[in-house]
Amino acid sequence: MLCATFPTVPVVALTATASKRDLKAIKESLNLKNPVEVIGNPNRPNIFYKKLFRKGEDVDFFEEILKPIALGLKEKTVGYPITIFYLPSGWCGFSFKFFEMLLGDDQYHSLQSPGNAIASVPKIPENRLFAQYHAPQTTAMKELILKEHSSPTSTIRVVFATVALGMGVDIPSIRNIIYVGPPRTIREYFQETRRAGRDGKQS
């Protein structure tokens, strides 16, 4: 153990979402003796929560949530706020297909296309305004999504995800995070909602 070999070397342990039990385990595993703990308050004045209760049939519920987002994306294209939508895998595919059907050719946008004419926009994943992010997704597609979201001019504005998106990746301008089936622990809330509004704007 490095701390035992170099007992006089200062050690810093950093974590964003550790529970009290995790903190204890970290200190014990690193053999830290009476360390100074610096703990930040996770509350931020620009983060807001809202809850909705599911009503009626599942399909109707999803369409009711998805339709305004799809229409907003169609209208604002790359001006639409970056939105992460966490939902079960079966509904992830449904949501993607729903957006495809509702947006048609408008689902593609290229910042490089002259005049942004639809006919000139190549119908490739890089130009689609929305994407899926889940465990079976190809590594190349996951990397594309993370690269896009790390850019201030990201084309991908809405992501349907079944797994945590981009932990450890600097994505400062996520505006909306939507859960279907809320997280069951405070840690899960912090892991995702702390990614929103890091640019200081309301999220």
Side-chain angles (χ1 to χ4, degrees):
M1 186 178 248
L2 289 175
C3 290
T5 306
F6 305 101
T8 60
V9 175
V11 175
V12 176
L14 304 174
T15 176
T17 58
S19 63
K20 289 184 178 180
R21 184 172 63 181
D22 292 335
L23 291 175
K24 181 180 178 182
I26 290 169
K27 287 186 280 189
E28 289 175 354
S29 65
L30 294 177
N31 197 28
L32 302 177
K33 304 298 183 184
N34 299 317
V36 174
E37 294 185 22
V38 180
I39 300 174
N41 189 330
N43 292 331
R44 285 181 290 152
N46 63 316
I47 298 294
F48 300 89
Y49 293 92
K50 178 182 178 180
K51 65 180 178 180
L52 297 173
F53 292 99
R54 187 179 304 193
K55 299 176 183 177
E57 298 296 326
D58 285 349
V59 171
D60 297 333
F61 169 76
F62 274 95
E63 288 188 358
E64 183 180 347
I65 291 178
L66 292 169
K67 190 172 182 179
I69 298 173
L71 294 177
L73 186 62
K74 185 173 184 177
E75 177 187 352
K76 297 182 179 179
T77 64
V78 293
Y80 192 82
I82 292 179
T83 300
I84 311 297
F85 205 125
Y86 287 102
L87 65 176
S89 57
W91 291 106
C92 186
F94 171 87
S95 302
F96 188 89
K97 290 293 184 184
F98 183 83
F99 268 47
E100 279 190 321
M101 177 192 70
L102 207 60
L103 271 69
D105 287 341
D106 292 331
Q107 67 187 277
Y108 298 98
H109 180 95
S110 175
L111 297 174
Q112 285 74 42
S113 64
N116 291 327
I118 292 297
S120 66
V121 179
K123 296 179 180 180
I124 56 177
E126 291 86 343
N127 292 337
R128 187 179 273 128
L129 293 165
F130 56 93
Q132 296 183 77
Y133 191 98
H134 45 70
Q137 184 65 275
T138 65
T139 301
M141 191 62 204
K142 288 179 181 177
E143 289 177 352
L144 170 65
I145 293 170
L146 294 178
K147 180 181 177 183
E148 279 288 314
H149 276 187
S150 299
S151 165
T153 58
S154 173
T155 297
I156 300 173
R157 308 308 291 183
V158 176
V159 175
F160 303 110
T162 61
V163 293
L165 174 67
M167 296 302 290
V169 178
D170 185 22
I171 309 174
S173 56
I174 293 176
R175 192 66 53 238
N176 302 313
I177 296 176
I178 301 169
Y179 277 98
V180 174
R184 300 180 183 210
T185 67
I186 293 298
R187 174 191 292 191
E188 289 177 290
Y189 269 115
F190 289 165
Q191 283 179 336
E192 295 308 326
T193 58
R194 282 177 66 84
R195 302 196 62 76
R198 290 179 51 239
D199 54 4
K201 298 179 181 179
Q202 286 194 3
S203 300

